[in-house]
Amino acid sequence: MAVPALADRSPQPRALPLREVRTRLTQLVSLAELTDTVTLVTRDGDSRPIAAIVPAPAARTGAQARADAERVAAISAGWARRLEELHQQSGRRHAAELRALADALAEAWAELDRRAPAGDPALIRLRAAHADLLRR
């Protein structure tokens, strides 16, 4: 049985008051660098974060974050458009195949009507089973 790796879980950032951060800054920076740990800095006595110590690759400017969001939105829109086109194409193909099947079934029943005796119970049951396809 496979056990998920601990690295798969993204730990919640911990929050420390500014006074403690001042005394442990070197340790917190090393921790951020080595383990990708985020530490939120709060004012003493207030639980709202005022800053964060994050690994360098995670620190991005607002412009970079907006550019990434715009790029992701454009890519997502492109994929959504392609998926919708494929869905419509598949629907048209399915409808054409269903029409071809219904036409072939109608031809088979026309031939059966010419060759088989009228009132055969097996054919009556089979025609009832195909009724939804024969109406199309």
Side-chain angles (χ1 to χ4, degrees):
M1 174 161 76
V3 177
L6 292 177
D8 292 344
R9 297 188 181 129
S10 117
Q12 294 292 335
R14 72 172 134 192
L16 295 174
L18 184 57
R19 184 173 300 155
E20 186 175 347
V21 169
R22 284 184 187 137
T23 60
R24 296 179 49 196
L25 182 61
T26 305
Q27 177 191 13
L28 294 172
V29 169
S30 296
L31 195 61
E33 178 185 22
L34 296 174
T35 63
D36 287 336
T37 302
V38 175
T39 303
L40 298 176
V41 181
T42 62
R43 292 209 186 275
D44 297 326
D46 189 359
S47 62
R48 293 177 295 174
I50 57 171
I53 300 171
V54 298
R60 299 181 307 157
T61 66
Q64 289 171 322
R66 282 190 297 280
D68 288 348
E70 290 170 4
R71 184 177 57 81
V72 168
I75 290 170
S76 297
W79 277 109
R81 181 180 31 71
R82 285 189 283 279
L83 285 172
E84 182 58 30
E85 289 170 3
L86 285 173
H87 178 70
Q88 290 173 356
Q89 181 184 26
S90 175
R92 288 190 299 269
R93 187 179 311 131
H94 178 74
E97 290 171 355
L98 188 59
R99 280 191 301 274
L101 173 69
D103 292 345
L105 190 59
E107 289 177 26
W109 274 107
E111 187 64 27
L112 277 172
D113 289 341
R114 279 192 296 274
R115 294 179 183 230
D120 183 358
L123 285 178
I124 292 172
R125 283 192 306 277
L126 191 56
R127 186 184 299 273
H130 290 164
D132 62 325
L133 291 171
L134 293 173
R135 285 189 208 125
R136 293 174 193 251

